[in-house]
């Protein structure tokens, strides 16, 4: 079945540590996105990528980094510079990024600080 | 002012009730509009797109008023399984600026 796979489902970070969240899709979609969701809030865009080897900052990119070396993969690194990383992280993809296209989501990663 | 605003609720309704959610958006150039459903700590799932002429899918009806920059979702004959958070979503130019509302929480009681 085609879809988006995020891993791990739960992740714990120690102070000063970088952690990487995995996102893989086999939908052959060009556009991929990372969102952060805090309790009682909507999704906020961290980074997005329209094609391989290209990505753009979203609204809250500080303290995060991404790469897009392969079409299927869009990993997100939460760096030690992100002082409040505890949140639910969602990866999504879209066929080409045109308006009115459905967003497909992974099942999310809950990141917590130890 | 937030780009997309929703009444956070929660809405507590009995089974069989009709409930309506409202959403306003600030960018008059917004092009596409959606309602997504999100269960607790799960990924959002597309409920329906919203078209200018209004559209219906079973018990769900969506309306768009571009002049007032307002979107609505009506749920008729509520079921227990409708309990979830409903997210209003607006796409701006190019589809890369997808803005999510904070969501409206719905509890349907037996």
């Amino acid at each position: 079945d085609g879809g988006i796979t995020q891993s791990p489902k739960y992740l714990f970070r120690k102070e000063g540590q970088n952690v990487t969240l995995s996102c893989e899709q086999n939908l052959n979609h060009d556009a991929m996105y990372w969102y952060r969701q805090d309790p009682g809030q909507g999704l906020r865009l961290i980074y997005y990528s329209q094609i391989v080897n290209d990505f753009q900052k979203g609204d809250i990119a500080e303290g995060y980094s991404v790469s897009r070396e392969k079409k299927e993969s869009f990993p997100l690194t939460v760096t030690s510079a992100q002082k409040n990383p505890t949140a639910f992280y969602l990866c999504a993809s879209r066929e080409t990024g045109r308006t009115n296209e459905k967003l497909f989501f992974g099942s999310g990663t809950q990141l917590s600080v130890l | 002012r937030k780009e997309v605003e929703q009444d956070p609720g929660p809405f507590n309704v009995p089974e069989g009730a009709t409930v309506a959610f409202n959403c306003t958006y600030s960018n008059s150039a917004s092009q596409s509009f959606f309602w997504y459903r999100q269960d607790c700590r799960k990924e959002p799932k597309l409920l329906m797109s919203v078209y200018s002429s209004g559209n219906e899918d079973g018990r769900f009806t969506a309306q768009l008023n571009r002049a007032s920059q307002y979107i609505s979702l009506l749920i008729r004959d509520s079921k227990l399984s409708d309990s979830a958070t409903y997210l209003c979503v607006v796409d701006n130019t190019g589809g890369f600026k997808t803005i999510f509302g904070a969501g409206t929480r719905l509890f349907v009681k037996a």
Side-chain angles (χ1 to χ4, degrees):
Chain A
D1 286 337
I4 299 181
T5 301
Q6 282 188 245
S7 63
K9 190 171 180 66
Y10 299 97
L11 186 59
F12 298 90
R13 194 191 89 166
K14 296 179 182 177
E15 291 287 339
Q17 187 182 38
N18 292 354
V19 293
T20 297
L21 284 60
S22 170
C23 178
E24 304 279 331
Q25 54 101 356
N26 60 4
L27 299 166
N28 201 34
H29 286 173
D30 285 321
M32 297 187 74
Y33 308 78
W34 273 106
Y35 292 93
R36 168 179 172 142
Q37 187 175 33
D38 293 280
Q41 296 192 32
L43 280 63
R44 291 184 290 167
L45 183 63
I46 305 172
Y47 268 97
Y48 64 93
S49 169
Q50 298 171 239
I51 56 172
V52 174
N53 292 322
D54 183 63
F55 49 82
Q56 306 294 329
K57 291 182 179 180
D59 300 317
I60 55 165
E62 187 173 347
Y64 300 97
S65 65
V66 293
S67 63
R68 187 86 186 276
E69 297 176 3
K70 298 186 298 181
K71 188 175 186 178
E72 314 83 66
S73 179
F74 191 41
L76 173 74
T77 296
V78 184
T79 74
S80 56
Q82 173 48 246
K83 298 306 179 188
N84 184 23
T86 297
F88 188 52
Y89 291 85
L90 285 158
C91 179
S93 72
R94 212 174 210 161
E95 189 169 352
T96 64
R98 284 196 298 266
T99 57
N100 216 37
E101 284 182 355
K102 176 183 173 181
L103 273 170
F104 290 78
F105 284 91
S107 57
T109 295
Q110 175 64 49
L111 175 62
S112 303
V113 176
L114 289 175
Chain B
R1 182 184 172 189
K2 291 183 180 178
E3 292 187 76
V4 177
E5 295 204 62
Q6 296 183 247
D7 182 341
F11 284 59
N12 292 285
V13 303
E15 272 188 293
T18 295
V19 60
F21 303 141
N22 301 321
C23 171
T24 58
Y25 61 96
S26 61
N27 187 345
S28 59
S30 297
Q31 298 181 343
S32 303
F33 309 89
F34 310 87
W35 284 100
Y36 277 73
R37 171 195 167 125
Q38 186 177 27
D39 293 291
C40 190
R41 280 300 178 241
K42 302 278 189 180
E43 72 274 22
K45 294 185 178 177
L46 179 66
L47 181 64
M48 57 198 305
S49 301
V50 186
Y51 302 117
S52 296
S53 55
N55 48 298
E56 188 174 305
D57 182 2
R59 298 181 293 109
F60 299 86
T61 300
Q63 298 278 353
L64 168 64
N65 184 323
R66 284 190 183 271
S68 302
Q69 294 178 207
Y70 169 94
I71 306 158
S72 66
L73 176 69
L74 183 76
I75 305 176
R76 289 182 300 279
D77 189 22
S78 299
K79 311 291 184 191
L80 294 175
S81 58
D82 293 334
S83 297
T85 297
Y86 291 84
L87 303 172
C88 175
V89 181
V90 174
D91 264 345
N92 292 331
T93 306
F96 300 112
K97 287 293 287 181
T98 299
I99 311 297
F100 287 78
T104 298
R105 190 75 176 90
L106 172 66
F107 293 98
V108 181
K109 305 168 294 184

